Amino acid sequence: MMPVLYLITVFLIEYREFRKRRTEYRELEHFAEFLSDLRFEFYLCKSVTESIFRAAERVPGGLRKTLEEICFLLESEDAGDTVAEYQYPGYLKYLKLFVIQCRSAVQYGSGKNSTESAFVKNMTELRKDVQNECYKRAQSGFLFAGMGIVAAVPVVFLPVIRRFGCATMEELKSFYEGSFGKLTAMATGIITLCCYALVIIVRKTGGRAEQIAGKRLAAADINRSGTEYRMICIITGIFLSLCMVCLMRKAPFGQKIIAAAIGFFVGAFMTAGFYRYLGYLRKLGMGGEVLGLQSMILLLVDVPDITIMQVLDALGDYAELFRKTVLRCADSYAAEDARALERMYEEEEYPAFRQLAGRIAVSEQVGLARAFSEIAADRQFFREQQRLEMEQELKKKAANAQVAAFFPLMFLLFAYLIFPFLAVSLGQMGEILKEMGQFHYF
């Protein structure tokens, strides 16, 4: 009964995640279509808000309601404060940039009568960024399809293998019902749980709940909070050692001590490896995120009277891997800390982010447009580079997820089926050879 409930739970979790990812992907697609329609409606309507409202009429689902709410907020008297406090869905992080552009167009004019409206140009660039995000999610859904189920299901076959082994060889019954069999079953469960968690983390993309690898368990955070890191490793080791002692409660005291020591070191090193691997995942996405931050800043360059504080707020909403660093800088900058931008430059060791932070710091003296003029001139090149970085990141993550997904199955087959059969067979062969050696031929 328990394996059936376990299977149902896993399938429900996977189905819920699939529905969530599909809903977010469709809303991003609808948002990209809305931005495309907005370009045409802009020149047909009298105002920016009217063009937004007209273009939103063709958008299905809850996104239309969100866009209509933004229209009403833009037309209110205190539009600046209400729009800044508006809570938008986390996976629609580009909606923040859209709101900033619309508020600027309403307040300072959209350049509708000019040859090329800055508002239309930014909407075009924003649509390209949203389409890149859609492509990323589509590729992610294709590469990681079914890996969660592959990683979680093998533990269900533990009782099946145990019954098969006991029915095939009587000698295997002592192994499966003994301490070593229970330890192997427990190890299979722990490995399955860890691999399933890794698959979920690796396939995670976007959202307000940032990637775990970029939020608390990143390698940089491990170095800064070594005490917390060591305490988690020690607690995991103690928990695993207690589990092993409970499984070997009928064994002699000396064997219990050895099992407890092995459990402690295995738990501690497993947790340390888990942390380090999350740090590796963080490094994989650094390049693409920096290019995304650059693309986002280029959309803010043409906004009149844009401030460094507004740029930092927008970066904090967009960033995932560098979110803590950006938010810490924004808080210090809001408190009128003169060295806030310099500390953001010094805090991260990744060269591309340091270069981006240096440009933001220089923009206090020369302005955003001049500080990012070199990037603005090669915007198309940087977008293509961002797309290539994203594809390489997804391929590496998919390769890692495949290893994590199939490792529990391989461990189960070898440690719980093949090696016990092989050990018993070799033992039987040794007994046969011993008996044959007792015969004397004349």
Side-chain angles (χ1 to χ4, degrees):
M1 188 63 183
M2 288 299 295
V4 176
L5 293 176
Y6 172 78
L7 276 177
I8 293 174
T9 303
V10 170
F11 277 104
L12 287 176
I13 292 173
E14 288 296 311
Y15 179 71
R16 179 178 174 274
E17 288 296 317
F18 169 74
R19 288 287 300 271
K20 180 182 177 182
R21 293 195 301 270
R22 186 177 64 176
T23 301
E24 293 177 356
Y25 172 75
R26 286 181 175 176
E27 292 219 350
L28 279 169
E29 273 193 327
H30 295 325
F31 187 51
E33 293 173 1
F34 161 78
L35 292 174
S36 180
D37 293 339
L38 182 62
R39 294 170 54 204
F40 299 101
E41 294 290 347
F42 175 71
Y43 290 105
L44 299 176
C45 300
K46 297 179 180 179
S47 63
V48 173
T49 53
E50 183 183 352
S51 61
I52 295 172
F53 194 84
R54 290 280 298 275
E57 291 178 351
R58 294 186 288 273
V59 177
L63 180 60
R64 178 174 58 194
K65 182 180 178 182
T66 301
L67 294 170
E68 290 174 352
E69 290 177 355
I70 291 174
C71 286
F72 291 122
L73 291 176
L74 291 171
E75 291 180 346
S76 61
E77 295 181 357
D78 53 345
D81 297 332
T82 53
V83 170
E85 297 173 358
Y86 182 74
Q87 298 295 323
Y88 52 92
Y91 57 91
L92 284 173
K93 54 190 177 184
Y94 294 97
L95 200 61
K96 177 79 171 182
L97 300 177
F98 171 74
V99 170
I100 293 176
Q101 299 291 336
C102 293
R103 185 179 60 187
S104 171
V106 171
Q107 186 173 0
Y108 299 102
S110 56
K112 187 172 183 178
N113 298 325
S114 61
T115 306
E116 183 181 10
S117 170
F119 177 75
V120 173
K121 183 182 71 173
N122 286 337
M123 290 300 103
T124 303
E125 297 298 331
L126 182 59
R127 178 176 58 84
K128 293 178 182 178
D129 289 337
V130 176
Q131 287 176 338
N132 275 346
E133 181 71 17
C134 290
Y135 177 76
K136 177 181 179 180
R137 288 176 178 265
Q139 288 291 101
S140 176
F142 172 75
L143 292 173
F144 299 106
M147 288 190 184
I149 296 176
V150 173
V153 165
V155 74
V156 177
F157 296 100
L158 282 171
V160 177
I161 293 176
R162 184 167 58 248
R163 292 194 190 97
F164 172 77
C166 294
T168 305
M169 288 185 178
E170 188 66 26
E171 293 81 357
L172 284 174
K173 188 173 182 181
S174 59
F175 168 78
Y176 288 123
E177 295 180 356
S179 300
F180 289 105
K182 293 178 180 178
L183 288 175
T184 306
M186 185 184 72
T188 304
I190 294 174
I191 289 173
T192 300
L193 179 64
C194 292
C195 290
Y196 183 64
L198 282 176
V199 170
I200 292 177
I201 292 170
V202 170
R203 76 184 181 191
K204 185 77 174 174
T205 56
R208 183 168 289 279
E210 311 80 34
Q211 296 179 6
I212 299 178
K215 187 177 180 182
R216 288 181 64 84
L217 305 183
D221 290 335
I222 292 173
N223 296 332
R224 294 191 194 105
S225 56
T227 304
E228 180 184 354
Y229 163 63
R230 295 189 190 95
M231 285 300 298
I232 294 176
C233 292
I234 291 172
I235 291 171
T236 307
I238 292 174
F239 173 76
L240 193 58
S241 64
L242 291 176
C243 291
M244 295 189 70
V245 169
C246 291
L247 286 175
M248 301 186 67
R249 58 183 179 274
K250 296 182 180 179
F253 181 75
Q255 293 184 7
K256 289 182 180 179
I257 295 297
I258 295 174
I262 293 174
F264 177 81
F265 285 108
V266 169
F269 282 109
M270 183 177 65
T271 306
F274 192 73
Y275 269 67
R276 297 298 174 184
Y277 181 73
L278 291 175
Y280 164 75
L281 291 180
R282 181 177 187 263
K283 291 179 180 178
L284 284 181
M286 282 182 172
E289 177 159 315
V290 171
L291 292 172
L293 294 176
Q294 290 178 351
S295 177
M296 188 210 67
I297 292 177
L298 292 180
L299 290 171
L300 301 174
V301 166
D302 296 327
V303 176
D305 295 337
I306 189 73
T307 63
I308 300 297
M309 191 65 225
Q310 290 174 327
V311 172
L312 292 175
D313 286 340
L315 286 175
D317 288 332
Y318 179 92
E320 294 171 0
L321 304 179
F322 299 102
R323 182 178 173 82
K324 290 185 70 175
T325 303
V326 174
L327 291 181
R328 190 160 35 239
C329 176
D331 292 340
S332 301
Y333 193 82
E336 298 183 356
D337 187 350
R339 293 195 67 254
L341 298 177
E342 295 180 10
R343 276 200 300 271
M344 184 172 69
Y345 172 83
E346 298 167 356
E347 194 170 345
E348 290 286 346
E349 298 179 356
Y350 189 64
F353 184 82
R354 286 170 63 91
Q355 185 178 11
L356 178 70
R359 290 180 186 274
I360 296 175
V362 170
S363 65
E364 275 193 315
Q365 286 78 33
V366 300
L368 275 176
R370 191 172 177 184
F372 289 89
S373 58
E374 181 182 348
I375 299 176
D378 297 326
R379 175 179 282 187
Q380 187 63 31
F381 168 76
F382 282 104
R383 179 172 284 109
E384 290 298 325
Q385 188 178 359
Q386 181 184 0
R387 192 183 184 94
L388 291 175
E389 289 273 354
M390 179 265 295
E391 290 180 349
Q392 293 177 2
E393 175 192 353
L394 286 178
K395 289 179 180 178
K396 291 180 181 179
K397 285 185 175 182
N400 284 268
Q402 288 175 357
V403 174
F406 285 97
F407 186 76
L409 178 61
M410 301 303 297
F411 181 83
L412 176 66
L413 290 176
F414 281 93
Y416 207 65
L417 180 62
I418 296 175
F419 287 158
F421 266 83
L422 186 61
V424 171
S425 300
L426 290 175
Q428 290 178 348
M429 186 179 295
E431 292 179 0
I432 293 172
L433 292 175
K434 185 177 181 182
E435 291 178 0
M436 291 178 63
Q438 293 177 358
F439 288 100
H440 300 282
Y441 299 94
F442 298 97

